[in-house]
Structures are given as C-alpha cells and as structure tokens.
Amino acid sequence: MLCAIIAQIAVVSLFGSFHVLLPVFAKDILQTGASGFGYLMAAHGTGAFLGALTLASTGNSPHRRKFFYGGLFGWNGMMIVFAYSHVYWLSAATLVVAGFCMMFFFATANTGVQSRVPDALRGRVMGIYSFAFIGLSPFGSLLAGWLAQVTSAPFTVTLGASICLIAGLIGMRRMTQQPEGAK
C-alpha cells in the first residue's frame, strides 16, 4: 500500500501539473487577463482551504481510502471539466471543487504514508515521498508546457488528468486486495 501511494503521488506530480498552464487558460481561453488569473488561483486556493478544514473536522476517520480516491477522482474529473470550459464562472467553480478534492487527495496520501512507516524509517521514506511529490513536479511542468505548445492547453490538461485517473483505477484495484489497515 505504501508503494502504491508514493507511486500515485509520482504519477500526479508528473502528469497532473496544471498550474503551469493556468495563465494560458486565463489569457487565451477565458480571456480574463491578470485579474481573472488571480481570481482563478484564489478559487483553487479557497477550495483547498475548505477541503483542509473539512478533512481536519473528520478526525481519525476509517474512510481514508475513500478520501484518497475520492479526492483523486474528483480533482482530475474537475480538471477535465475545467479544460473544456469557456465560461469564466464555471471554470472558477470547477477550480473550487478541484482544490477541495486535491486537498483530500494530498493530505490523505501524506497521512497514509506517515502512519504506515516505522519510526526508524520515517525520514528516509518521507525523503522518497518528497521527491515524488516535489522533486518530480518541475519535470511535470516542463512536460505540460511542451505538450501544450505542441497541441493545446485543454488537450494537455485532459490527457494529464486522464493518465492520473487511469493510474488511480489501477492503484485502487491493487489496493482492494489488501485490508484497510495493511501496510
């Protein structure tokens, strides 16, 4: 389960980097300019804040796996809707929901890794987790920028979200063979 969580984080870091393309959406697709871009970022941040508050209020819920996959599928599903929206307020609303779900996914993944690792190995495993989460993200941004230049920003976001969804389905299938508390 631990390797599956870290692998999912790595896939999301490589293929789920949409923030680098948000200025393109604001300027070229939604035609809102700098202030519209700022509000889109604020919408995503507002959703993430609400997601963090909601997740914190659940305490030590036995539904962590549902939070993990619900967050992953909700986030990437909303990103596909966002990719093809040409209506500013619909785009902002999808970013609120995407931010909410993203927080559920990342926070549950982090908690899942830390709670499954023995104390003696926590620093090393979190180093690997941090590399998957933060270290691969610049490569994902580079890939997203290149692919958006070659194709389009909506196609790039849709492809990345689809890859994350497929990886999530594969991971979920593999994890269903293990009980909830399995390491």
Side-chain angles (χ1 to χ4, degrees):
M1 174 121 172
L2 186 62
C3 290
I5 293 171
I6 293 174
Q8 190 67 55
I9 291 294
V11 168
V12 167
S13 291
L14 281 173
F15 301 105
S17 298
F18 82 94
H19 286 94
V20 72
L21 298 177
L22 204 51
V24 174
F25 281 94
K27 180 181 178 224
D28 298 339
I29 296 169
L30 299 172
Q31 300 173 349
T32 61
S35 64
F37 168 69
Y39 287 124
L40 290 174
M41 289 297 290
H44 194 257
T46 300
F49 177 70
L50 294 173
L53 289 177
T54 304
L55 192 58
S57 70
T58 63
N60 192 13
S61 174
H63 304 293
R64 291 179 300 215
R65 189 176 291 169
K66 291 177 184 174
F67 292 162
F68 180 80
Y69 286 109
L72 175 68
F73 296 141
W75 175 31
N76 286 288
M78 285 293 103
M79 291 315 303
I80 292 172
V81 172
F82 173 81
Y84 290 100
S85 169
H86 292 280
V87 179
Y88 180 78
W89 293 110
L90 174 62
S91 298
T94 59
L95 286 178
V96 170
V97 177
F100 184 91
C101 294
M102 180 193 73
M103 186 55 63
F104 263 64
F105 170 70
F106 282 126
T108 306
N110 190 320
T111 303
V113 169
Q114 290 199 42
S115 65
R116 287 172 173 78
V117 176
D119 290 341
L121 298 175
R122 185 164 290 121
R124 286 173 257 187
V125 172
M126 290 309 293
I128 294 168
Y129 175 87
S130 294
F131 173 73
F133 180 49
I134 300 168
L136 293 178
S137 184
F139 296 106
S141 295
L142 181 67
L143 179 63
W146 171 79
L147 189 58
Q149 185 177 15
V150 172
T151 60
S152 70
F155 175 80
T156 301
V157 171
T158 302
L159 180 63
S162 299
I163 290 170
C164 293
L165 289 171
I166 291 167
L169 290 171
I170 292 168
M172 188 170 71
R173 182 178 168 101
R174 292 191 65 201
M175 282 191 201
T176 55
Q177 299 165 351
Q178 300 176 4
E180 179 81 22
K183 292 185 181 188

